[in-house]
Amino acid sequence: MARNFSSEEHKAGLTLVVKPIDDPDRPVDAEQFLQAATKWLASLSSFASGSGLHVRWEIAELKRSSALLEVIPVDIRTGIIANSVAKDWKRIVKEIETTGIPPKDLNSTTIRDMEQFSSTANGLSVVISAGEDPTVQPITVSTQKRLKEAIGALPSDEYIQEGTIRGRLAVLNSWNPEERWFRLRIPLAPEKQVRCAYADEGLISDLGDTFEKLVDVTGLLHYKKDEIWPSVIEVRSIRKLPELSLSEFLTMMRPIPTPDGMDSVKYIRSLRDGE
Amino acid sequence: MANKSPALITWDSCCILGLFNREQDKIAGLTYELRECDEGRALLGIASATLSEITRLADGSAAHPSLELFLQFPFIQLLNSNREVGLLSSKLGHRFDLRNDPEILAKAIAFGCPSDQKRLKSKDSEILSTAIVYKAARLTTYDPFLRFLGAEFIRSEFGLEIDEPASSLLFPT
């Protein structure tokens, strides 16, 4: 059953009002409203989470005529209303709009979510108010521009590390000396093909020999944030895999000693507990 | 034609050691998993974090040539410890510090964990996070604390099975 909030509790609320920009009296398009509201809630959630709060946003008011949605943050564990989150969110949007610089402790996901929300305001009048605060925060072209600037100032989403990836050699492009590359298919992600760029002419014959076979590719791996496989590899070397028989290997294996009385589990535990 | 990736199983360091040392209580289960991979029913993921714990063979020589040979089996995929693994490892290391959580700690002891094993150490956390990030179906380990976390939290939250190797019917044909 919907919870009835007292007037005191509404002070912790945050309200979104969406109207058509050209005719505020005309009902707003439902899809546009829901898109704005969804992105707004996403930005509130990542902001609360980035502030160390585990809250859900309960609907306190939803009016059809003016496309108004009021939400109140409620601590998931205790059920107590988180008083300051709504005001803080609005204050930070205002701060970014004024200075173009987000607070240092604001995480990049929150800034991106805020920008995504602001981008839904195109062709709409979008206004935010917090609790009883009489000043409202309109989402304007200036807000959008400043949030884009804030995103532009964030550190790159790509990072590079040295490493080796195993995959099956697919498309090979070796005719243009200025731009030699091949594609590597990853067995664990068959839909993924990693572009592997190389400059060493000596690799061409090796690559021809290994076409459609498994190889280890070593070099600089370019990762995009939140992705587990690299998007690009700057190849330093490739290695063909030898033919191996598992049965032969199992008979050839040489033991790895552990201290007397310790099996592998106790030995590994002793190493890790020593940290 | 849709390509489907085979299931990924990952091994803790104790599995590699148990295999090389032919430990009687482990060899059957571990070779069973290897044969499943060799026959193409699964891939074996080895987290790069496991390799540094294995340094020396019985005759005093370095272990890395043997490890390199092992890693060249085509069914093995070396799993790099990247940014996502590092961040999740940090998060899980913080979350599974049971020193201030006597209720869960008591459950862990009842499960069979040693009473002095009160938190997820960084290597455990990195190997666990690698399995989660690369979406492995199982992490094979004999470590009771990892198995406890698997049964209590990880399986339901991430869909990752953490247990000793199955001796049969892991991947029924």
Side-chain angles (χ1 to χ4, degrees), chain A residues 159 161-167 185-191 214 216 221 223-229 239-242 244-247 249-258 262-265 267-269 271-275, chain B residues 3-6 8 12-14 17-23 26 31 34-35 38 43 53-54 56-59 61 68-77 79-84 117 119 121-124 127 133-134 142-143:
Chain A
Y159 67 98
Q161 71 181 47
E162 184 77 24
T164 298
I165 297 285
R166 180 166 296 176
R185 274 209 305 269
I186 311 284
L188 279 171
E191 74 291 349
L214 277 173
D216 283 343
L221 315 179
Y223 286 92
K224 286 187 176 148
K225 193 182 158 205
D226 298 330
E227 291 193 3
I228 59 173
W229 302 105
R239 186 164 61 168
K240 303 176 215 176
L241 298 182
L244 283 177
S245 146
L246 180 60
S247 301
F249 177 82
L250 291 173
T251 55
M252 281 164 40
M253 285 183 314
R254 290 156 65 199
I256 295 167
T258 51
M262 279 192 184
D263 72 347
S264 55
V265 182
Y267 174 64
I268 293 295
R269 192 74 267 141
L271 293 179
R272 294 179 189 174
D273 285 347
E275 73 173 52
Chain B
N3 287 322
K4 191 173 178 297
S5 60
L8 176 67
D12 195 359
S13 315
C14 57
L17 270 181
L19 175 79
F20 274 71
N21 291 342
R22 297 181 176 83
E23 291 180 10
K26 303 182 182 70
T31 50
L34 281 182
R35 290 196 194 284
D38 196 37
L43 285 172
E53 290 186 312
I54 299 163
R56 191 183 295 268
L57 298 176
D59 60 4
S61 62
E68 275 190 48
L69 186 64
F70 178 58
L71 293 176
Q72 286 179 11
F73 277 107
F75 56 76
I76 289 184
Q77 182 82 46
L79 305 174
N80 290 323
S81 190
N82 56 23
R83 176 188 180 279
E84 314 312 324
Q117 200 175 346
R119 68 186 174 93
K121 297 290 176 71
S122 59
K123 195 68 109 177
D124 296 304
I127 290 166
V133 164
Y134 284 92
Y142 296 84
D143 185 81

Side-chain angles (χ1 to χ4, degrees), chain A residues 36-48 57 89 109-110 113-114 116-117:
Chain A
T38 304
K39 299 219 163 160
W40 180 57
L41 287 168
S43 79
L44 296 181
S45 295
S46 67
F47 174 69
W57 294 84
W89 184 89
T109 308
T110 303
D113 285 342
M114 283 176 167
Q116 284 285 303
F117 161 59

